Amino acid sequence: MSHQFGKNILSKGLDDYFTGISKAWHFTALFFTEVFKKPFHLREVINQCFEVGIKSLALITLTGFIVGVVFTKQSRPPLEDFGATSWLPSLIGIAIVKALGPLVTALICAGKVGSGIGAELGSMKVTEQIEAMEVSAINPFKYLVVTRVLATTITIPILALYCSFVGLYGSYLNVHTEETSSIISFYQNAFSTITFLDIYTSVTKSIVYGFTIGIVGCYKGYYATQGTRGVGRASNQAVVLAMFLIFMEEVIIVQISNWIRFF
């Protein structure tokens, strides 16, 4: 009897898992179907870009600056041991532009923006506002999901580039306190070892991260159930799943970039 009970639990868990993957796949496919159809709701896209970008700017600025300062402080002693402190700007440039800028921005936005989208759409779902939009002849998927995913996909790459430059500026201030150097020479040295492929990879990662944060937050909120309890669960799951997917995408994109570099 207990064996049959455990088997049923396992079977139900697998069924729910594969059903969830199927729903997520169809949800993502529906986005690519709807994004090219009229109406485009440009006003709502701009409004969501403001929500994602401007309201995250202060946190991105502070975090990027701290990352630049701390990473420079941690990198200086090993380089001093080998007498290679002149390579510090190049090292910081590679680390921040290629990896830390996009990744830090994505993780912050996953926590702030992803949870907000999940909670917002989740509350609309459980209070039947989405069904009310359907009755009013408004396509809720087009108006709620497509606009938010477009906003995160557009805005997060811009925030990532901004975070990288702020991080480099924080690094420059730390270097400037230790040794006299101009900001122009620092940025020249920082970008001397960065190639077009590095910039392209960084922007590509940011676009993928932005899309992931938007689509995961919308998916979890759009299918929220069980009232206010479900809203909290949707918000939490949106953050956790988005962060997990971001790390997976980081590994995959870096590997592809290395393959391209060697070929």
Side-chain angles (χ1 to χ4, degrees):
M1 183 73 178
S2 60
H3 174 72
Q4 184 67 29
F5 180 70
K7 184 178 179 181
N8 290 337
I9 292 177
L10 180 61
S11 176
K12 185 178 184 303
L14 287 174
D15 288 345
D16 291 343
Y17 175 75
F18 287 111
T19 301
I21 290 178
S22 177
K23 284 174 64 178
W25 173 260
H26 287 295
F27 189 84
T28 306
L30 184 59
F31 166 80
F32 286 106
T33 302
E34 293 288 340
V35 72
F36 299 108
K37 293 182 179 179
K38 293 182 179 181
F40 295 115
H41 301 297
L42 289 178
R43 186 182 296 274
E44 181 64 14
V45 172
I46 294 171
N47 181 52
Q48 291 302 320
C49 285
F50 175 81
E51 292 290 329
V52 174
I54 301 300
K55 293 191 175 181
S56 302
L57 201 59
L59 188 57
I60 294 293
T61 302
L62 179 62
T63 307
F65 184 82
I66 292 173
V67 166
V69 172
V70 171
F71 192 78
T72 306
K73 284 182 174 293
Q74 295 292 333
S75 302
R76 179 179 290 276
L79 291 178
E80 286 180 341
D81 292 341
F82 293 99
T85 52
S86 61
W87 285 95
L88 188 58
S90 298
L91 173 65
I92 300 301
I94 292 171
I96 290 180
V97 174
K98 288 179 64 176
L100 291 178
L103 190 60
V104 167
T105 303
L107 294 177
I108 291 173
C109 290
K112 186 178 187 301
V113 178
S115 62
I117 292 174
E120 183 182 11
L121 294 191
S123 62
M124 294 182 71
K125 179 68 173 180
V126 300
T127 55
E128 299 183 351
Q129 294 181 51
I130 293 178
E131 286 78 1
M133 292 178 68
E134 292 176 346
V135 173
S136 303
I138 299 174
N139 185 345
F141 189 93
K142 180 80 174 178
Y143 187 80
L144 298 175
V145 175
V146 173
T147 55
R148 282 161 175 78
V149 176
L150 282 177
T152 56
T153 306
I154 294 169
T155 309
I156 288 177
I158 299 172
L159 289 175
L161 291 174
Y162 172 76
C163 180
S164 297
F165 277 97
V166 171
L168 288 174
Y169 183 70
S171 175
Y172 161 73
L173 290 181
N174 183 263
V175 170
H176 188 69
T177 57
E178 299 288 337
E179 56 197 57
T180 304
S181 62
S182 68
I183 189 170
I184 295 175
S185 64
F186 176 85
Y187 274 93
Q188 285 177 340
N189 291 330
F191 283 94
S192 62
T193 53
I194 296 176
T195 63
F196 175 78
L197 179 61
D198 296 330
I199 301 293
Y200 180 79
T201 303
S202 179
V203 173
T204 301
K205 286 195 294 186
S206 302
I207 293 172
V208 174
Y209 296 161
F211 176 80
T212 300
I213 292 167
I215 203 74
V216 169
C218 289
Y219 172 75
K220 290 297 182 181
Y222 204 80
Y223 290 112
T225 55
Q226 299 177 355
T228 55
R229 188 176 181 180
V231 174
R233 188 183 297 113
S235 177
N236 181 60
Q237 289 177 347
V239 175
V240 174
L241 181 57
M243 287 186 174
F244 173 75
L245 291 176
I246 285 169
F247 283 118
M248 294 293 292
E249 290 161 355
E250 171 78 15
V251 173
I252 293 170
I253 294 173
V254 168
Q255 189 63 48
I256 293 173
S257 174
N258 289 335
W259 286 340
I260 296 172
R261 193 186 308 277
F262 289 130
F263 286 114

